[in-house]
Amino acid sequence: MYEAIISILFKSIDLLYKWLSENFLSHVMAFGKEFGAVLVFISAVVFLLITVYFIMKQAKRLPRRYELEALDQEGKRVLIPELRVTFVTYQAAASYAEFYTKLYEDKYKFKLIGIKDKISIVRRLH
């Protein structure tokens, strides 16, 4: 008699376990996987937004234009009329400064100045 009750109890527990496994646990596990994927996606988007914010913040700090200043051997400022002295990008200004330094050899030294609004940022080139 006890064996029959225990057998019925185990069968009912087995049926309950199978039902929970098929209808409840599989859905919970699928939700967990999807939730993890969504969490990774949201983290990636937040990381990209923060990166874009810092890049834009750095871009606002850059000078609006660059100027080359020619100095003679004594260090006095000289104006050479045929030279281009105003540039929009740092790469172009640095390239022209190197070119002018090679062209004029030891006669002149060139100083690169970054101008942001009314404040200038001075950089020396050898």
Side-chain angles (χ1 to χ4, degrees):
M1 181 164 159
Y2 291 118
E3 292 175 9
I5 294 174
I6 292 174
S7 175
I8 292 172
L9 181 64
F10 281 143
K11 285 183 181 180
S12 64
I13 290 175
D14 185 45
L15 288 174
L16 181 63
Y17 175 76
K18 285 182 182 178
W19 182 83
L20 284 175
S21 175
E22 292 174 3
N23 296 318
F24 184 69
L25 292 177
S26 62
H27 296 297
V28 170
M29 295 299 284
F31 174 76
K33 288 179 185 177
E34 295 298 322
F35 184 75
V38 168
L39 195 62
V40 168
F41 178 75
I42 289 173
S43 300
V45 169
V46 168
F47 174 75
L48 289 175
L49 289 175
I50 290 171
T51 303
V52 167
Y53 169 75
F54 281 120
I55 289 172
M56 295 302 291
K57 188 175 179 181
Q58 179 65 25
K60 290 180 182 178
R61 289 186 197 165
L62 293 175
R64 300 270 184 227
R65 60 189 168 103
Y66 296 90
E67 288 187 2
L68 282 179
E69 190 174 272
L71 305 172
D72 63 4
Q73 293 175 346
E74 298 172 2
K76 294 180 184 175
R77 187 173 180 194
V78 178
L79 182 62
I80 305 171
E82 62 269 3
L83 296 184
R84 179 179 172 191
V85 293
T86 304
F87 303 93
V88 177
T89 64
Y90 176 80
Q91 288 83 8
S95 175
Y96 270 88
E98 285 182 34
F99 174 71
Y100 292 153
T101 302
K102 289 177 185 176
L103 184 66
Y104 289 103
E105 296 176 358
D106 294 328
K107 292 182 184 178
Y108 300 107
K109 292 183 181 180
F110 294 93
K111 185 170 39 171
L112 183 59
I113 301 172
I115 298 176
K116 180 180 179 181
D117 299 330
K118 295 181 182 179
I119 302 170
S120 65
I121 302 166
V122 178
R123 295 183 181 171
R124 291 192 183 271
L125 292 175
H126 303 291

